[in-house]
Amino acid sequence: MSRKTTAGPDLDDISWQIIEQLQEDGRRSYGAIAKAVGLSEAAVRQRVQRLTEAGVMQIVAVTDPLLVGAHRQAMVGVRVSGPIEPVAAALSDMPETIYVVLCAGGFDLLCEIVCDDDAHLADVLASRIRTIPGVAGTESFVYLQLRKESYRWGTH
């Protein structure tokens, strides 16, 4: 059974199984994945390469910002006056941003930022985000504790 995606390549069940294997453990060997999905190691290696080159998935190390020196995370809701794309591009270019999404509702954009501390967060908000041409307003949601972070969506 093939799960049709709305954008990007049509993925067959084997591709979905490979993605699921890597979501469970991004360091899982091609040999172990091959045994689990019923392909050769070379075939799995080729599929993983095609999936990463197509932008379907990335294999990365995910860190907990609090454990690597960044002591303040926040989601910033951004209201835009005028075109949204230039504001989204400016936010995306900031090294502190790890997530920028165009959305519907009370905000035009949501931007997740990671900062060293409260002073750094205040500076990013006041001197950088709020000064971007087109930003009409912001609302910040400071993270107190991370309770869940999952990258296993899409396969279940």
Side-chain angles (χ1 to χ4, degrees), residues 4-25:
K4 180 64 180 155
T5 56
T6 57
D10 189 20
L11 304 176
D12 64 10
D13 280 342
I14 299 294
S15 293
W16 281 110
Q17 290 174 39
I18 291 169
I19 292 168
E20 186 171 21
Q21 290 286 311
L22 289 166
Q23 284 178 327
E24 288 174 5
D25 180 358

Side-chain angles (χ1 to χ4, degrees), residues 59-71:
I59 301 171
V60 299
V62 177
T63 60
D64 180 337
L66 294 176
L67 297 177
V68 294
H71 298 289

Side-chain angles (χ1 to χ4, degrees), residues 129-144:
I129 293 177
R130 292 183 184 134
T131 61
I132 296 170
V135 170
T138 65
E139 186 172 345
S140 301
F141 304 90
V142 175
Y143 297 0
L144 299 177

